[in-house]
Amino acid sequence: LAAEGESLEQSNRMVSQFMEQGSATLSDLQRQRGQMRGIRGRLLDISNSLGLTQSTMRIIERRDITDAYLVAVLMVVTLIVIYFVWIVEYGE
């Protein structure tokens, strides 16, 4: 009977240890969930910022191309105006 009592006490200690480990694991998981929520929020902020940055870069690139065409057209127009002024002044 003493051996059975001792075995029962040992089983109770093991169950208590398992409960403590389970409780510690649950606490760790809750802490990690909080950390993951924070990380998720930061990642969303970064992705939103990068999305804004990428769209801004696309706008700037389109504007650069438009500006380059505009400069080329204005250079040609300027050359044509200079040519006509030269013809009027010095005639052929």
Side-chain angles (χ1 to χ4, degrees):
L1 197 59
E4 292 172 348
E6 189 176 311
S7 177
L8 186 60
E9 284 181 33
Q10 185 178 1
S11 296
N12 282 338
R13 282 193 302 266
M14 289 175 65
V15 168
S16 293
Q17 288 175 348
F18 286 139
M19 292 296 289
E20 288 175 13
Q21 287 177 348
S23 178
T25 302
L26 181 61
S27 296
D28 287 343
L29 288 173
Q30 288 171 339
R31 181 184 50 80
Q32 289 174 7
R33 181 182 62 185
Q35 288 176 339
M36 293 301 283
R37 283 183 179 168
I39 290 169
R40 181 176 179 257
R42 279 183 258 148
L43 285 176
L44 286 173
D45 289 343
I46 289 170
S47 68
N48 288 337
S49 175
L50 288 177
L52 178 63
T53 302
Q54 288 175 354
S55 64
T56 304
M57 290 303 291
R58 275 188 242 116
I59 291 169
I60 290 170
E61 287 172 2
R62 270 188 261 138
R63 178 72 190 264
D64 283 345
I65 292 169
T66 304
D67 288 350
Y69 286 138
L70 186 62
V71 167
V73 168
L74 289 175
M75 287 170 60
V76 170
V77 168
T78 303
L79 288 175
I80 291 171
V81 169
I82 290 172
Y83 177 74
F84 282 120
V85 169
W86 186 74
I87 286 178
V88 169
E89 283 294 318
Y90 297 106
E92 281 190 11

